Amino acid sequence: RKEVEQDPGPFNVPEGATVAFNCTYSNSASQSFFWYRQDCRKEPKLLMSVYSSGNEDGRFTAQLNRASQYISLLIRDSKLSDSATYLCVVITTGGFKTIFGAGTRLFVKA
Amino acid sequence: GAGVSQSPSNKVTEKGKDVELRCDPISGHTALYWYRQRLGQGLEFLIYFQGNSAPDKSGLPSDRFSAERTGESVSTLTIQRTQQEDSAVYLCASSPRSSAVGGEQFFGPGTRLTVL
């Protein structure tokens, strides 16, 4: 079983749609969680951090469920510019190893 | 300010040759990471440097891979006796603090390595 698992997609949605991605992690000692965005043939960039209390940034909302060991990302009112691969990232307590999920591809269509 | 830079941007080499990849982190960033990303796949952690502490080498796939960093500056990733399966984009990232306490990682544009 992979340490961090994501649905690879692709998710094809129309502009204005709401789309949600989930990510599960296997190590209960994981302590820090992030969503990164990667455009085609570009480097990843931080989208947002994820906290147990939830985190909202405009149209984007991230949630952490420690009991079930998953994190989620919700995108409301999708824009064409949201088309990208979304990477779930987990850091484990006691180390600095950063585990990236394989990513979920999103295509937003006009 | 200047971001993370990597060189070369592209490298084509023959199987069995050694290659050296370079990363210049953002000035003042104490943490530096190397990742490998094969085509269509996610990022694979290779190695982590934090200041003058011993690096975390747990992700290096074989003893053909090694990396160095002098203080909090430039890092080099060396792959000896390259194999075709080493073909990938090698990404470097730096952070003002360790990721264990939530530091954002800033990525360079990567070096695309092709082993013929």
Side-chain angles (χ1 to χ4, degrees):
Chain A
R1 182 185 173 188
K2 293 182 180 178
E3 292 183 77
V4 176
E5 295 205 60
Q6 295 183 248
D7 181 344
F11 285 66
N12 293 288
V13 302
E15 274 189 290
T18 295
V19 61
F21 308 137
N22 284 333
C23 165
T24 58
Y25 60 94
S26 60
N27 190 333
S28 60
S30 299
Q31 68 170 63
S32 300
F33 308 88
F34 308 88
W35 284 101
Y36 276 71
R37 169 191 170 134
Q38 186 173 27
D39 292 296
C40 188
R41 299 175 86 79
K42 297 286 189 181
E43 68 273 20
K45 293 185 179 179
L46 179 67
L47 180 65
M48 58 198 311
S49 302
V50 188
Y51 309 114
S52 296
S53 56
N55 188 17
E56 185 172 323
D57 183 3
R59 298 181 293 108
F60 298 83
T61 301
Q63 292 277 357
L64 166 64
N65 184 318
R66 285 189 182 274
S68 300
Q69 295 183 202
Y70 79 83
I71 69 175
S72 63
L73 177 67
L74 182 76
I75 305 175
R76 291 180 297 277
D77 188 23
S78 299
K79 311 292 185 190
L80 294 175
S81 58
D82 294 335
S83 297
T85 297
Y86 291 84
L87 303 168
C88 170
V89 181
V90 174
I91 315 294
T92 301
T93 304
F96 305 101
K97 187 174 179 179
T98 307
I99 308 298
F100 278 76
T104 298
R105 296 186 70 186
L106 172 65
F107 294 100
V108 181
K109 305 168 295 183
Chain B
V4 177
S5 62
Q6 292 186 244
S7 62
S9 56
N10 282 284
K11 176 72 177 178
V12 180
T13 190
E14 294 179 349
K15 178 180 173 180
K17 301 282 190 181
D18 297 351
V19 296
E20 189 173 278
L21 312 180
R22 176 186 169 107
C23 172
D24 283 86
I26 294 172
S27 178
H29 280 194
T30 58
L32 186 146
Y33 307 78
W34 282 99
Y35 297 91
R36 177 170 70 180
Q37 187 172 31
R38 292 194 168 110
L39 186 64
Q41 298 186 24
L43 276 70
E44 178 186 358
F45 168 85
L46 297 178
I47 189 168
Y48 164 81
F49 295 92
Q50 173 65 39
N52 294 316
S53 301
D56 178 352
K57 303 181 180 181
S58 60
L60 294 178
S62 77
D63 58 7
R64 297 187 295 105
F65 288 73
S66 62
E68 293 185 351
R69 186 184 188 196
T70 305
E72 295 181 355
S73 61
V74 171
S75 175
T76 55
L77 176 69
T78 301
I79 308 173
Q80 296 179 310
R81 304 181 302 282
T82 52
Q83 303 294 313
Q84 289 183 329
E85 63 261 28
D86 298 335
S87 296
V89 175
Y90 289 83
L91 290 158
C92 172
S94 71
S95 177
R97 51 186 176 159
S98 85
S99 62
V101 291
E104 176 181 354
Q105 295 183 36
F106 296 83
F107 283 82
T111 293
R112 185 173 300 275
L113 174 65
T114 303
V115 181
L116 301 177

